[in-house]
Amino acid sequence: MRAARSDAGFPFTAIVGMDDLQLALILAAVSPAIGGVLIRGEKGTAKSTAVRALTEILPPVDVIPNCRFSCDPDHPDPTCPDTPHGIAADAPHRTSADTPHGAAANAPHGTDASRDGSVGGGIRRAARLVELPVGATEDRVLGSLHLEKALAEGVTAYEPGLLAAAHRGLLYVDEVNLLHDHLVDVLLDAAAMGRATVERDGVSVTHPARFVLVGTMNPEEGELRPQLLDRFGLTVDVVASRDPAVRVEVMRARLTYEAGPADFAERYDGAQRELAERIVKAQGLLPDVILTDAALRQIAEICASFDVDGMRADLVTARTAVAHAAWCGRTVVEVEDVRAAAKLALPHRRRRNPFDAPGLDDQQLEDAINNTTPEEDPDDDGPDDPSGGPGGGVDPSTSADGDEQVPGEATAGPAPSGDVAGSGEPYKARLLSVRAAGVGVAGRRSRALTEVGRVVGDRARVGREAGRPHLLGTIRSAAPHQHARGRSGPGLTVRAADVRLAVREGREGNLVLFCVDASGSMGTKKRMSEVKTAIVSLLLDAYQRRDTVGLVTFAGAGATVALPPTGSVETAVRRLESLPTGGRTPLAEGLLQTAELLRVAAIRDPRRRPLLVLVTDGRATYGENAFARAREAAGWLGQRGIATVVVDCEPRRGVRLGLAAELAGDLGAEYLDLGDVAAGNLVRTVSERKAA
C-alpha cells in the first residue's frame, strides 16, 4: 500500500482520454531501443503530467553503491569511469530485511552473495526522472573535465552530467523544440548509441547512457528540424477532447487530486501496481517475440506506401511492433501490432515539405495493411482490440488530424474583409543576415559570438560560471603565480580565479520581423502575390536556419501584430496566406507598432538581434500629415541601429513618387526596388546587398 504523502504525483492510470500517449510511453519503457517519444500538443493538455507520472510505474533498478553511473551489479559496464566498482567503507549498509534480494551489505563487486538474481553490494532504487532545462549547456548535459585537477595532479577528473544521471531511467526534455540543435543532436546520439562521450582538450571519457528519452513541445512555438524529428522513435499529437463528457471527467479527476493528492493516488494503487508488473512481464517476454518474414514485408510495404525517407522508419516500426506484441503477451508479431506501431512511428516521417502539417491518413494506413495482409490473417482488428493501452484500445477520437492546418488555410477567427492574394511556389533563399557581428543566440544566420563555434580567444570566468575552459589561457593565467604558491615540482597549482573560458565565434539566430503593407495602394492581386511569394521564401529560409519570426501588417485605420515573435514558421505562413488587401495606408501606425513589438522582444530575448524587413510602396494615406508622421517614426527606428531592408513595391509604370527610398534613408536601411528584380529575384538581391 502506498504511504500517505502530500507530494504524491498524479497517477499514470488516472489520466483520461490520452490512450495513444499512454501506449507510446509504455512501449518506450518496454523497449528503450525504440528511440524515445516526442509528444506534440497545444498548451494545457497534460503532456508534462503524463511524462512525470510514467516514473511511478517504471520498474526499480539494482545499482552498485557509489557508482555515479548506476551500473547494474549483474552486468557492470567495463568502460564505466568509476571502474573498478569496489564498495567503499561508507557505502549504505543494507540487510536482508531491507534489501529485496538479500544482498550482502559490503561484498566486493563481482562476487556472489546469498540473494535472488543479484550480486553482493547491489542496492535497489526507484528509476530516476531527470529533467533537462531548456537553457542547459553542453557541459551540463554531457559532463565536464575538472581542469584544476588535471593540471595540478595530472589526473582525469570527470564530473558527470545529466546523461549519466539519466542512465537506466527517464530523461525528460520539456519544450525540446526550443533547445539548441547541437544539444538535441547530443541527446539523440546518446539515446541511439546507449553511450555518451566527452572530449575536451585531447582527453576522452565515455560512459553508458541508456535511458527512455521523452520530449514535449507546443508546435505553435516552432517545429524541430526534419533531421531531428526523424530521430525520435515515436510521435504522438495530443489535443484536448472536444467532447464535453470527457472534459468533465478530466476536470473532476484533477480537482479531486488537488483536494487530496495522497488519497487520490491511493485509489489507483492497485491499477498502478498491476501496470508496473505488466511492464516488467513485457520486458521479460521481449527477447522471445518472433518477427516473421511476413510481418517484416508488411512493415516495409507500409513504409514504402507512405514514401518515407531512409530506413529508420522501417526499423522503428519493427521494434515498436515487437514491443507491442510483448505488451499484449504474444510471442509472434501480428497485424494489430504492426497497425499500432505504424500509427506511432510514421506520422512525423512522411512530411515532404517544411510547411506541411504532420499526420497520418488512417484510411491510407488501413488500405496499406489490407493490401499486405495474407488472406488467412484477420484484416481489421483495430479499435476494438482491448490490449492497446492501460485503459483499452487506441481511441481514434484522440487523433489530431481535425485540428491540423496546411499552408493557405485561414486561421480561426472572422473571415478577412478584403481580397486575399495567394502566394506562388517558394524558392530557395540566399543568406540574409545582420551586417555587423554581435553577441547572440547560437543559430545559423548572422556572424556572432556564441556558445558554439571556432575558438577566437579567451576571457576571465565570472564567479563559478559554467562553460568550456580555455586550456592555454588558463595555463598562462596560473603560471606566473607558481613560485608564490610554493610550487617547485612538476604540474601547476591552479585556482578557480585562474580558469579562463573560451570565446567562440559562430552563427547566431535572429528575429526576422516582417512589416507588410496590406493596404489598397499595394496594387493588383498579382503584385501582392509576388510579394507574398518572396516573404514565404524568406520564411522557408528562416525555418531552415532556426530563426524566430514575427509579422506586423497595416491597412485601413491601424496596424496589427498578425504574429508575435515565435519559432513557428508554419504559423507565420498561414497568417501571411490569409492576409487580405484593401483600405487606406496607416504607414506611421505600422512603424510604431513594429517599434513597440521590437521593444518588447528585446526585453524577453535580449540576445536575439532583430532583422526588420519593411514591405511597402511608401505611401501613407491615413490621418493628417500621414507621410510626415511616417518619416518621423522611421527616423526614430533608424536611430536605434536596427538592421532593416526596405522593399519598394511601387509600380514601375506611371509616375513614381520614390517615397519608399526616402523611408529607407530615414531608417538607415538597405533599399530594394521590387520592380527591378521581380518576385523570383527578391531574396537573391536582398541577400547580396546584406552580404556586401
Side-chain angles (χ1 to χ4, degrees):
M1 185 67 65
R2 183 192 299 269
R5 66 184 193 275
S6 60
D7 62 341
F10 195 89
F12 190 81
T13 52
I15 296 173
V16 178
M18 300 174 70
D19 289 346
D20 283 356
L21 172 57
Q22 290 174 287
L23 177 60
L25 292 174
I26 288 172
L27 294 182
V30 170
S31 177
I34 288 173
V37 181
L38 176 64
I39 307 170
R40 305 170 72 257
E42 57 196 17
K43 51 187 175 294
T45 49
K47 301 184 294 294
S48 299
T49 298
V51 176
R52 294 188 175 100
L54 178 65
T55 56
E56 296 290 330
I57 58 171
L58 290 178
V61 295
D62 294 327
V63 300
I64 298 173
N66 298 329
C67 175
R68 298 172 296 169
F69 304 88
S70 302
C71 276
D72 186 344
D74 292 330
H75 305 285
D77 193 296
T79 64
C80 175
D82 283 355
T83 299
H85 292 100
I87 306 301
D90 60 349
H93 185 74
R94 303 289 297 270
T95 66
S96 59
D98 57 21
T99 302
H101 26 242
N106 291 313
H109 176 53
T111 61
D112 292 328
S114 178
R115 53 174 287 174
D116 298 328
S118 190
V119 181
I123 61 173
R124 174 165 292 183
R125 63 162 174 78
R128 286 176 179 162
L129 168 65
V130 176
E131 298 192 34
L132 178 67
V134 171
T137 62
E138 186 174 343
D139 285 343
R140 183 72 183 97
V141 175
L142 280 173
S144 59
L145 300 178
H146 200 295
L147 187 61
E148 291 94 328
K149 287 187 178 180
L151 293 175
E153 303 173 21
V155 297
T156 301
Y158 174 63
E159 298 293 337
L162 295 176
L163 293 185
H167 179 49
R168 303 178 68 200
L170 188 149
L171 181 62
Y172 172 42
V173 186
D174 192 15
E175 297 181 322
V176 65
N177 52 324
L178 303 183
L179 201 65
H180 289 317
D181 285 351
H182 73 283
L183 287 183
V184 180
D185 281 326
V186 166
L187 294 178
L188 294 173
D189 283 341
M193 302 290 293
R195 310 195 64 78
T197 301
V198 184
E199 300 203 19
R200 297 286 187 272
D201 299 308
V203 179
S204 178
V205 176
T206 182
H207 66 80
R210 291 182 295 275
F211 47 82
V212 178
L213 176 64
V214 181
T216 57
M217 59 174 281
N218 182 351
E220 295 178 354
E221 298 172 343
E223 288 282 1
L224 282 171
R225 287 191 291 120
Q227 297 92 329
L228 298 178
L229 193 63
D230 181 58
R231 299 284 295 278
F232 276 94
L234 310 178
T235 297
V236 181
D237 284 283
V238 179
V239 294
S241 173
R242 301 305 187 252
D243 184 351
V246 175
R247 298 175 76 95
V248 167
E249 190 176 352
V250 171
M251 287 190 293
R252 182 179 291 115
R254 186 68 197 185
L255 293 174
T256 304
Y257 166 75
E258 292 174 355
D263 293 338
F264 183 84
E266 189 173 353
R267 297 183 197 175
Y268 290 88
D269 269 343
Q272 293 278 99
R273 194 160 41 246
E274 180 181 346
L275 185 58
E277 292 171 356
R278 187 175 171 187
I279 291 176
V280 173
K281 183 178 178 181
Q283 289 175 334
L285 186 62
L286 191 67
D288 300 326
V289 176
I290 299 173
L291 186 63
T292 63
D293 289 343
L296 279 172
R297 182 171 183 81
Q298 186 176 55
I299 291 171
E301 292 187 3
I302 290 173
C303 292
S305 70
F306 281 99
D307 199 23
V308 298
D309 294 327
M311 292 297 299
R312 185 174 283 117
D314 305 63
L315 294 171
V316 171
T317 304
R319 293 178 185 131
T320 307
V322 170
H324 190 270
W327 169 246
C328 297
R330 292 189 290 267
T331 56
V332 178
V333 172
E334 298 182 0
V335 175
E336 52 264 37
D337 302 318
V338 176
R339 176 186 287 109
K343 286 185 175 181
L344 297 173
L346 299 185
H348 59 300
R349 293 188 165 90
R350 61 175 296 272
R351 300 177 62 185
R352 310 302 300 172
N353 184 291
F355 298 146
D356 288 345
L360 200 66
D361 187 329
D362 288 340
Q363 187 57 51
Q364 183 181 354
L365 175 60
E366 289 304 318
D367 291 343
I369 290 176
N370 292 337
N371 293 336
T372 59
T373 302
E375 293 183 0
E376 64 271 19
D377 288 343
D379 60 2
D380 188 14
D381 295 328
D384 293 330
D385 177 36
S387 57
V394 177
D395 182 5
S397 67
T398 61
S399 172
D401 290 347
D403 281 5
E404 294 290 353
Q405 291 181 313
V406 297
E409 187 175 348
T411 56
S417 58
D419 294 332
V420 178
S423 66
E425 186 70 21
Y427 42 81
K428 181 175 177 58
R430 293 188 180 181
L431 178 62
L432 172 70
S433 62
V434 177
R435 204 182 316 177
V439 178
V441 179
R444 293 169 173 259
R445 182 169 295 276
S446 305
R447 189 166 57 91
L449 299 179
T450 62
E451 297 174 357
V452 294
R454 64 186 182 93
V455 177
V456 295
D458 61 87
R459 63 178 178 83
R461 182 170 63 169
V462 180
R464 302 297 296 179
E465 178 186 3
R468 292 190 181 184
H470 189 280
L471 179 60
L472 293 179
T474 301
I475 293 175
R476 284 196 300 266
S477 177
H481 307 290
Q482 297 307 299
H483 180 71
R485 294 172 183 175
R487 189 82 184 191
S488 57
L492 291 174
T493 298
V494 181
R495 296 178 180 172
D498 299 326
V499 176
R500 308 279 296 181
L501 299 182
V503 176
R504 297 176 180 273
E505 183 180 283
R507 294 281 176 178
E508 69 173 348
N510 297 109
L511 164 58
V512 182
L513 181 60
F514 295 91
C515 182
V516 180
D517 184 348
S519 68
S521 67
M522 287 295 286
T524 65
K525 234 180 182 183
K526 179 182 177 182
R527 179 169 293 271
M528 194 62 189
S529 178
E530 291 175 347
V531 172
K532 285 189 176 183
T533 301
I535 297 175
V536 168
S537 300
L538 283 167
L539 287 170
L540 177 60
D541 182 64
Y543 170 87
Q544 294 167 340
R545 300 184 186 280
R546 312 309 297 159
D547 290 310
T548 298
V549 297
L551 177 62
V552 173
T553 64
F554 54 95
T560 302
V561 178
L563 183 70
T566 176
S568 180
V569 177
E570 294 87 346
T571 303
V573 171
R574 292 199 294 266
R575 302 286 172 86
L576 179 69
E577 293 285 7
S578 63
L579 178 65
T581 306
R584 290 187 158 189
T585 310
L587 179 56
E589 285 72 14
L591 292 173
L592 292 174
Q593 182 65 74
T594 299
E596 175 62 16
L597 186 60
L598 289 173
R599 185 189 68 82
V600 175
I603 295 174
R604 292 180 175 175
D605 196 355
R607 296 186 61 199
R608 190 176 292 274
R609 295 193 294 166
L611 176 62
L612 174 61
V613 180
L614 175 61
V615 183
T616 181
D617 58 6
R619 298 187 183 185
T621 60
Y622 175 76
E624 296 182 2
N625 301 318
F627 188 66
R629 291 191 298 111
R631 292 197 62 178
E632 182 181 356
W636 187 86
L637 272 172
Q639 292 174 5
R640 276 143 186 82
I642 296 171
T644 306
V645 177
V646 174
V647 180
D648 188 354
C649 300
E650 187 177 25
R652 299 194 68 176
R653 294 181 180 178
V655 178
R656 290 175 58 86
L657 303 179
L659 302 178
E662 295 184 35
L663 283 176
D666 295 330
L667 287 163
E670 294 288 336
Y671 170 78
L672 176 66
D673 192 314
L674 179 61
D676 289 337
V677 296
N681 298 325
L682 171 60
V683 178
R684 184 177 304 116
T685 302
V686 177
S687 300
E688 290 172 351
R689 293 195 177 198
K690 293 305 294 180

